[in-house]
Amino acid sequence: MLEDPEVWKDQDKGAGLLKESAELKKEVALLVDLKKKISDARELIELLKEGETKELEQQVDSLEDLLTKTELQVFLAGKYDKGNAILTITAGAGGQDAQDWTTMLHRMYTRYADKKEWKTKEISYSQGEAGADGRNGTKQVTFEVEGRYAYGLLRREAGVHRLVRISPFSTKGLRHTSFASLEVLPVLKLADEKDIVIGPDDIKVDTFHSSGPGGQYVNKRETAIRVTHISTGIVVASQTQRSLQKNKDKALEMLAAKLYERKKEEEQKEIASLRGERKSIEWGSQVRSYVLQPYQLVKDHRTQTEIGNVEAVLDGDLDIFIESEVKVAA
C-alpha cells in the first residue's frame, strides 16, 4: 500500500500511514520476541543441570519484562488508547506552592515521556506569580504527548495530585500542602466523530498575545487563540503554534475531545474514562499524594500502590503506578 504513488499524493496521509506501519511492525516484533523467549526458556529447562540456575533465572527475568509489556497492550483496547494525549495541569489550593507544584508535575510527566521516547509539545502556558527568590511557577500548562499508547497509559493519571513538603516560599520553614489537577484527553479529529459538530455559530473565538517563560515559541504577534463553546461554556486555548490558523485548529481539536468526553458522560457510557472523576482541587480529593516531609512516600489512593523513592517518581519513574492503574481498571 505504501508503495502506491497515489497514497503519497496526500503527504500528510502518507506520513500517517508510514508511522502506523512502523508501530504495527514494532508490535509484531514484540510478539515474535515473546514467542522466542518462551521457547528458549522451555529448552533451557529441559537441558538444565542441577545447581546451574543462573542462566535460567536471567531468561525468566527477561521473559517477565516482556510479558508485562505485552500484557499492558492487551488491557489498552479503548478507542483512542493507542493514540496521543493532551495533558492540562492546573494549580489548585496552595498559592505559590501550588504553582511551583504544577511546574514540578509538568517536569515529571515530561521526563516520563522522555523515558518512553515520546515527544512532548507545549500548547498553552499561563505563568504564575514570582516568588521571593524570583522563580515563577505555573498557573496552568497544556501540552501534547505524542507516542504509541500515550493516551491509554496516561488517562488514569487524571485527577488531583497532592504535595506535602517544607515550603521553599515560607520564611519560617513551615510545612505546606499543595494541590494541582491533571486532565487527560485523547487527540482526535472532528472527522472521526460524526456526532460532534462544531459550527462557526457554536463558538466564540478570541485572539491574544502568547505568554510564557520566554523562548522561541512565544510570539509577539496576536496569534494565540481562545475558543469558547457557547452552549456548554467549555474554554480551550492554544498559543504555541506557528500561526493563528494552526492555533485555531489545535484549539478546535481540544474542544472536540472535550465534547466527546461530555457526550460519553451524558450517555452514561465510559463514565470518567477520559479524565477520571471530576473533583475540586483541594483536601480529600486527591488521587495520589507525594510526601517529602516529615517522611518520604508517594502513594496512589486508588490502587494503594506506594513507593519511598520520591525523587525517582518526580523524575518520571511512574511505571509502577501506571501499570497498577491499568490492571485495576481492567
Side-chain angles (χ1 to χ4, degrees):
M1 183 177 182
L2 291 174
E3 290 76 18
D4 185 351
E6 292 295 318
V7 172
W8 293 98
K9 287 185 177 180
D10 184 335
Q11 291 293 322
D12 290 339
K13 182 179 179 181
L17 289 172
L18 185 63
K19 181 180 177 181
E20 185 177 356
S21 175
E23 294 294 347
L24 289 172
K25 286 178 181 178
K26 287 181 182 179
E27 291 185 18
V28 171
L30 182 67
L31 293 173
V32 170
D33 192 22
L34 178 61
K35 184 177 179 180
K36 183 178 183 301
K37 280 185 166 58
I38 292 174
S39 178
D40 290 345
R42 285 174 175 168
E43 291 179 6
L44 191 60
I45 290 172
E46 293 176 4
L47 298 174
L48 190 64
K49 294 180 181 179
E50 188 176 350
E52 297 180 7
T53 61
K54 186 175 181 179
E55 188 176 350
L56 179 60
E57 290 173 355
Q58 292 174 344
Q59 288 273 17
V60 171
D61 289 342
S62 177
L63 186 58
E64 285 181 347
D65 290 341
L66 198 57
L67 278 171
T68 298
K69 293 180 182 177
T70 309
E71 184 182 36
L72 284 176
Q73 291 187 6
V74 172
F75 288 140
L76 301 176
K79 184 174 182 179
Y80 292 106
D81 280 356
K82 289 185 179 181
N84 302 337
I86 295 176
L87 277 62
T88 298
I89 309 173
T90 305
Q96 286 183 318
D97 278 282
Q99 293 173 12
D100 191 47
W101 175 221
T102 301
T103 301
M104 292 167 66
L105 284 174
H106 184 200
R107 177 185 180 276
M108 182 180 78
Y109 285 109
T110 300
R111 293 302 302 272
Y112 172 74
D114 290 343
K115 293 175 189 292
K116 295 292 183 184
E117 297 183 347
W118 295 341
K119 296 179 181 178
T120 58
K121 184 177 181 180
E122 192 172 293
I123 296 174
S124 67
Y125 179 87
S126 177
Q127 185 169 281
E129 301 170 6
D133 58 357
R135 288 191 302 167
N136 286 99
T138 304
K139 289 183 179 179
Q140 186 180 79
V141 61
T142 299
F143 57 103
E144 182 173 338
V145 181
E146 181 183 337
R148 193 72 163 175
Y149 289 105
Y151 176 67
L153 290 171
L154 288 168
R155 66 188 178 100
R156 296 173 187 86
E157 287 290 283
V160 177
H161 294 247
R162 168 179 173 253
L163 173 70
V164 181
R165 63 171 176 175
I166 300 299
S167 171
F169 304 101
S170 171
T171 56
K172 297 181 179 180
L174 299 177
R175 190 166 70 241
H176 280 213
T177 299
S178 308
F179 298 88
S181 70
L182 172 64
E183 176 187 69
V184 185
L185 295 170
V187 173
L188 56 83
K189 302 295 183 183
L190 269 171
D192 297 333
E193 295 296 329
K194 303 299 183 182
D195 293 336
I196 297 176
V197 179
I198 302 175
D201 295 333
D202 298 328
I203 58 176
K204 176 187 175 185
V205 179
D206 297 303
T207 61
F208 60 97
H209 292 292
S210 299
S211 63
Q216 59 178 322
Y217 298 114
V218 178
N219 297 318
K220 293 181 180 179
R221 294 180 295 124
E222 198 171 74
T223 58
I225 284 283
R226 182 183 298 108
V227 175
T228 303
H229 192 250
I230 296 171
S231 62
T232 63
I234 294 173
V235 179
V236 292
S238 177
Q239 66 185 52
T240 57
Q241 306 300 310
R242 294 296 186 180
S243 69
L244 192 68
Q245 185 59 49
K246 288 185 177 179
N247 273 320
K248 184 177 180 181
D249 291 343
K250 177 57 68 174
L252 289 175
E253 184 180 277
M254 290 189 290
L255 177 58
K258 285 176 177 280
L259 290 174
Y260 172 80
E261 175 189 288
R262 187 183 183 94
K263 174 175 172 287
K264 291 300 180 183
E265 288 178 349
E266 288 175 351
E267 293 173 350
Q268 296 184 350
K269 294 179 181 179
E270 301 178 6
I271 294 177
S273 64
L274 301 181
R275 182 171 57 186
E277 184 181 355
R278 294 176 182 267
K279 295 182 178 181
S280 58
I281 315 172
E282 57 189 18
W283 281 100
S285 62
Q286 63 273 4
V287 296
R288 187 178 301 149
S289 292
Y290 307 71
V291 182
L292 277 68
Q293 279 94 15
Y295 52 86
Q296 298 264 316
L297 183 71
V298 180
K299 181 175 180 178
D300 193 288
H301 302 289
R302 299 159 298 178
T303 64
Q304 303 306 309
T305 303
E306 58 183 49
I307 186 172
N309 192 346
V310 181
E311 185 176 345
V313 173
L314 293 177
D315 198 40
D317 192 0
L318 298 172
D319 284 335
I320 186 173
F321 295 104
I322 289 176
E323 289 172 10
S324 296
E325 292 160 12
V326 169
K327 292 175 183 178
V328 167

